[in-house]
Amino acid sequence: MNLHLHLVLVLIFAGAASSSWARVEPGQLNREVLREQEADRVIKLPGQPQVGFKQYAGYVTVNQSHGRALFYWFFEATTQPERKPLLLWLNGGPGCSSIGYGQSEELGPFFPQKGKPELKFNNYTWSRAANLLFLESPVGVGFSYTNTSSDIRELGDTIAAKDAYTFLVNWFRRFPQFKSHEFYIAGESYAGHYVPQLSELIFDNNKNASQADYINFKGFMIGNALLDDETDQTGMVDYAWDHAVISDRVYGDVKSRCNFSDPHPSDDCNNALNEYFDVYKIIDMYSLYAPTCVEGNSSVSAIRQLPVLHGTAPHLFSKINGWHKKPTGYDPCASDYTEAYMNRPDVQQALHANLTNIPYPWTHCSNNITFWNDSPSSILPIIKKLVDGGLRVWVYSGDVDGRIPVTATRLTLRKLGLKTIQEWTPWYTNHQQVGGWTIQYDGLMFVTIRGAGHQVPTFKPLQSLQLVKHFLANKKLPSGPY
């Protein structure tokens, strides 16, 4: 064999080994896997525009003996799905649907519309950057269910993370062609618990996982995320005062009567907090300057409050109904359109959803989950562990969110004590406009999105797509006009 030919063969085999250690091409799938995938294939939803990418939806069992199954909706990337990473998106609550918020009102391809039995294609869907997977988690949320009623009473962070991990292992067995893709997780709000906890499980289990169950996990990104009880609560009150939402007296009362490190607030503290939350009955806590939904028949308007969910963090504010108020977006009534669409029998049939005839309607946030068993007061030890473990970690914050405001997140990240690599720097979008600011820590990137509320992709779709593209590519956002 001549030297030139030998070199060519070495390069070919080396490239194959590095790029496809577990790659399974669609043409190599066995008959059973193909049958399962085809059973989950969504051919076309009612009112859906014509698209060129594939989508799948259905159930993955996470506990056979209990009859626990999680519902997912998966979209291949709009172009070149075989070359793009896989991104799992999780919404929070706890008890709220990633399909209701993430897919239908934030970053998915299809948005329900007002007064029309049609879906609108979202030009800024994150499936332009990645293969996109939405999961309704834990059981009891959306279409996800259990045949063992006691499971609902045992829910908490630990079970949510374990079930989500089991879901992923089983989902990759159903879709082995995506196992070799780089895998990332993103989410917002209470997903500040879900995402790092699931990331830690993957990180730890990967050390001893067989090749069949190994997940090619690279990092995670969380937005307006609940991370630390003390700083999250301090930041909420400071932000409300800084933005002229509460009076000097209410601010002074909360600061003097409440100890944000104490999980058992006094009556005086609760009275002060009641006054603090009163203002968020008339304006949208999740986006201070957005209108509220005032349509007479609105069932999920911005001022409606969910039942108190006892046991969740932060323990001080979990006693206040306002903690669980449903967020809204540019159209403050968008959640109404989603709820109407997802409860249509023809839509559920097309999605292979509600096969067991769940005895309650689909809702954005579960009315059946009223207790949460475990919720650590701080997620920072997990963040620090995963940063030290070499995972890519980005945290972002829409800066007009009053629920988990940028003030809170800055105080929280300060607690990590990470070295600053690049100081507070503007980043640009639309070539000329400042999209927000970044600060690069040793192992963690923090990004603000100017003018965005709690659900950043809803309020700033162009900027959020730019954000996720840079995160996935591990590139800094542009620090000047371009």
Side-chain angles (χ1 to χ4, degrees):
M1 181 185 296
N2 67 47
L3 181 61
H4 177 72
L5 180 58
H6 177 74
L7 276 173
V8 169
L9 288 173
V10 167
L11 288 171
I12 288 173
F13 286 119
S18 64
S19 65
S20 60
W21 60 272
R23 182 175 296 279
V24 178
E25 301 298 337
Q28 298 173 318
L29 299 175
N30 68 45
R31 188 174 300 174
E32 179 61 22
V33 167
L34 282 170
R35 188 193 64 77
E36 287 186 342
Q37 288 187 16
E38 197 55 36
D40 284 359
R41 178 85 181 272
V42 178
I43 305 303
K44 190 174 183 182
L45 291 160
Q48 177 200 303
Q50 193 70 35
V51 293
F53 53 83
K54 292 179 181 178
Q55 55 176 320
Y56 302 82
Y59 287 96
V60 171
T61 300
V62 294
N63 188 306
Q64 194 78 43
S65 62
H66 283 223
R68 275 208 313 269
L70 296 182
F71 183 78
Y72 80 91
W73 195 353
F74 171 61
F75 301 89
E76 290 192 356
T78 55
T79 59
Q80 297 185 308
E82 69 283 353
R83 295 189 178 184
K84 289 192 168 72
L86 173 65
L87 178 70
L88 169 68
W89 173 266
L90 298 172
N91 279 90
C96 294
S97 167
S98 303
I99 284 168
Y101 289 123
Q103 194 301 118
S104 303
E105 296 164 31
E106 295 187 73
L107 55 114
F110 300 129
F111 289 179
Q113 297 186 76
K114 177 181 181 180
K116 295 180 182 179
E118 298 174 5
L119 294 172
K120 175 186 177 183
F121 181 73
N122 172 22
N123 287 318
Y124 300 101
T125 175
W126 285 14
S127 60
R128 290 193 183 280
N131 297 286
L132 203 49
L133 178 60
F134 296 95
L135 176 65
E136 291 195 305
S137 173
V139 291
V141 173
F143 295 124
S144 294
Y145 69 89
T146 177
N147 293 329
T148 307
S149 58
S150 60
D151 283 352
I152 302 297
R153 297 191 297 273
E154 295 171 2
L155 290 175
D157 283 12
T158 301
I159 286 179
K162 286 181 177 177
D163 278 0
Y165 177 76
T166 302
F167 164 84
L168 280 175
V169 169
N170 291 336
W171 188 89
F172 277 117
R173 288 172 183 166
R174 191 174 299 179
F175 291 90
Q177 68 266 40
F178 290 98
K179 262 191 69 65
S180 63
H181 291 228
E182 290 190 346
F183 176 66
Y184 299 89
I185 312 175
E188 70 192 12
S189 198
Y190 197 82
H193 280 221
Y194 289 163
V195 172
Q197 288 165 338
L198 175 57
S199 297
E200 183 182 34
L201 262 185
I202 298 171
F203 180 79
D204 289 345
N205 288 338
N206 266 353
K207 294 173 183 174
N208 300 308
S210 65
Q211 184 174 343
D213 291 340
Y214 183 88
I215 296 173
N216 191 19
F217 183 48
K218 298 298 183 182
F220 63 89
M221 180 169 69
I222 41 178
N224 292 85
L226 180 72
L227 294 171
D228 184 88
D229 286 9
E230 181 188 6
T231 46
D232 285 340
Q233 293 171 125
T234 298
M236 285 175 72
V237 177
D238 288 353
Y239 185 88
W241 184 81
D242 286 343
H243 286 74
V245 169
I246 56 173
S247 69
D248 292 0
R249 181 189 62 78
V250 170
Y251 178 71
D253 286 350
V254 172
K255 297 293 270 190
S256 63
R257 297 176 187 177
C258 295
N259 176 4
F260 293 140
S261 298
D262 185 355
H264 306 291
S266 65
D267 289 341
D268 282 348
C269 172
N270 278 331
N271 291 335
L273 286 174
N274 284 334
E275 282 199 272
Y276 161 83
F277 274 106
D278 277 346
V279 72
Y280 291 122
K281 294 176 182 176
I282 57 173
I283 65 171
D284 188 353
M285 186 186 214
Y286 293 83
S287 183
L288 293 193
Y289 308 113
T292 57
C293 182
V294 294
E295 291 185 3
N297 63 350
S298 175
S299 63
V300 287
S301 68
I303 60 171
R304 179 184 172 186
Q305 297 174 350
L306 289 174
V308 178
L309 184 59
H310 294 285
T312 187
H315 302 290
L316 184 58
F317 279 3
S318 68
K319 298 179 184 297
I320 308 297
N321 283 349
W323 175 257
H324 296 286
K325 198 156 58 82
K326 293 185 180 181
T328 58
Y330 264 138
D331 182 338
C333 304
S335 292
D336 288 313
Y337 321 146
T338 302
E339 226 156 269
Y341 188 81
M342 297 305 293
N343 278 296
R344 287 173 50 176
D346 57 345
V347 170
Q348 294 180 6
Q349 184 177 7
L351 286 172
H352 321 116
N354 197 14
L355 301 176
T356 57
N357 295 316
I358 298 169
Y360 47 81
W362 182 95
T363 57
H364 281 76
C365 297
S366 173
N367 293 316
N368 300 307
I369 300 173
T370 57
F371 185 79
W372 200 251
N373 275 290
D374 60 300
S375 181
S377 60
S378 181
I379 300 296
L380 293 182
I382 298 177
I383 302 276
K384 187 70 165 62
K385 170 184 173 179
L386 298 178
V387 166
D388 291 344
L391 290 178
R392 187 181 314 159
V393 180
W394 283 32
V395 178
Y396 67 90
S397 186
D399 65 9
V400 297
D401 174 27
R403 180 58 198 84
I404 305 177
V406 64
T407 308
T409 303
R410 292 175 79 178
L411 291 172
T412 298
L413 294 179
R414 192 182 298 170
K415 271 189 174 183
L416 279 173
L418 298 174
K419 179 184 176 183
T420 300
I421 303 299
Q422 184 179 43
E423 257 297 349
W424 201 249
T425 305
W427 66 272
Y428 282 76
T429 189
N430 263 347
H431 303 293
Q432 299 290 332
Q433 299 299 317
V434 173
W437 279 264
T438 66
I439 181 168
Q440 184 183 359
Y441 297 104
D442 187 10
L444 185 148
M445 179 75 77
F446 177 54
V447 183
T448 74
I449 297 88
R450 196 160 66 101
H454 190 67
Q455 295 168 283
V456 168
T458 302
F459 293 93
K460 296 291 179 179
L462 171 65
Q463 289 85 341
S464 81
L465 181 57
Q466 184 179 356
L467 171 71
V468 75
K469 282 181 175 179
H470 281 73
F471 164 70
L472 293 172
N474 199 23
K475 291 182 178 178
K476 293 180 183 178
L477 289 153
S479 58
Y482 58 97

